């Protein structure tokens, strides 16, 4: 059954916190597809997901490098996080060239900004997160495919 959860955050810290809660519920191999315009808070949410994997490195937008890889762990067990940003991608061939299929089929956790550009590569089981910008710092965040308590 598909689960659908809606949240509102009022500060970037709250969005990080939600990312942390989502991250705790991910399994090795999970794919998280992030949707929403520039400045919505996608990268901010990834900071929380990284925190859930005990990654201490600063997470920034990989808009030029496209893929960032972090080594995290959960209860002492190593787990890799890939943070992919497809903002600058304009052609599906470029996505294939990135080697995304291999990453998506591995057992790392993979979080993708502008994921709709890679829709044909995303597994059915992907968690989808959509962020809508509201007044000032308000954000409406819809999470599909997972239930953060
Ligand atoms: P994206 O990756 O979607 O382009 P970022 O996470 O890089 O967005 O940037 C979001 C910007 O919006 C940051 O400057 C952040 O401080 C600001 N912001 C304001 N309110 C929020 C909120 N509730 N959640 C997330 N970011 C917020
Ligand atoms: Mg971003």
């Amino acid at each position: 059954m598909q689960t659908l959860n809606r949240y509102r955050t009022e500060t970037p810290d709250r969005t990080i916190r939600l990312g942390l809660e989502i991250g705790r519920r991910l399994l090795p191999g999970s794919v998280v597809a992030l949707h929403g315009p520039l400045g919505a808070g996608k990268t901010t949410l990834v900071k929380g997901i990284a925190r859930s994997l005990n990654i201490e490195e600063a997470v920034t937008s990989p808009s030029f490098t496209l893929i960032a890889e972090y080594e995290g762990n959960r209860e002492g067990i190593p787990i890799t996080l890939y943070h992919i940003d497809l903002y600058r991608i304009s052609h599906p061939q470029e996505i294939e060239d990135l080697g995304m299929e291999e990453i998506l089929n591995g057992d790392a956790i993979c979080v993708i900004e502008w994921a709709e550009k890679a829709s044909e590569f995303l597994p059915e089981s992907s968690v989808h997160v959509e962020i809508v910008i509201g007044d000032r710092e308000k954000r409406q965040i819809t999470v599909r495919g997972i239930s953060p308590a």
Side-chain angles (χ1 to χ4, degrees):
M1 199 181 76
Q2 276 282 18
T3 55
L4 191 72
N5 292 277
R6 291 203 172 84
Y7 302 88
R8 282 169 199 278
T9 64
E10 315 222 315
T11 63
D13 274 352
R14 283 283 161 191
T15 299
I16 291 175
R17 183 76 213 170
L18 179 62
L20 178 66
E21 295 299 332
I22 292 170
R24 284 185 176 147
R25 285 160 178 80
L26 300 174
L27 299 170
S30 290
V31 175
V32 182
L34 303 180
H35 309 276
L38 263 186
K42 301 180 293 300
T43 301
T44 304
L45 192 89
V46 180
K47 291 180 201 285
I49 294 177
R51 194 177 289 176
S52 79
L53 299 170
N54 301 308
I55 292 163
E56 282 163 18
E57 246 174 288
V59 170
T60 54
S61 215
S63 9
F64 289 96
T65 51
L66 305 181
I67 300 183
E69 183 181 349
Y70 301 93
E71 296 309 328
N73 66 80
R74 186 183 271 159
E75 285 155 18
I77 298 162
I79 185 154
T80 301
L81 172 69
Y82 285 104
H83 179 194
I84 301 179
D85 188 339
L86 300 177
Y87 180 59
R88 281 168 205 286
I89 293 282
S90 50
H91 196 279
Q93 183 62 45
E94 296 175 75
I95 292 175
E96 278 184 46
D97 296 345
L98 278 178
M100 244 179 77
E101 263 189 290
E102 210 182 315
I103 292 176
L104 292 176
N105 291 315
D107 53 13
I109 288 177
C110 183
V111 183
I112 309 163
E113 300 193 34
W114 300 95
E116 54 279 3
K117 295 192 185 192
S119 51
E120 69 245 57
F121 298 95
L122 299 178
E124 197 77 39
S125 60
S126 300
V127 173
H128 288 269
V129 178
E130 169 150 31
I131 309 180
V132 174
I133 303 179
D135 263 5
R136 296 165 194 260
E137 298 207 305
K138 293 197 171 72
R139 301 290 189 269
Q140 279 175 48
I141 303 178
T142 306
V143 182
R144 180 156 53 86
I146 200 177
S147 30

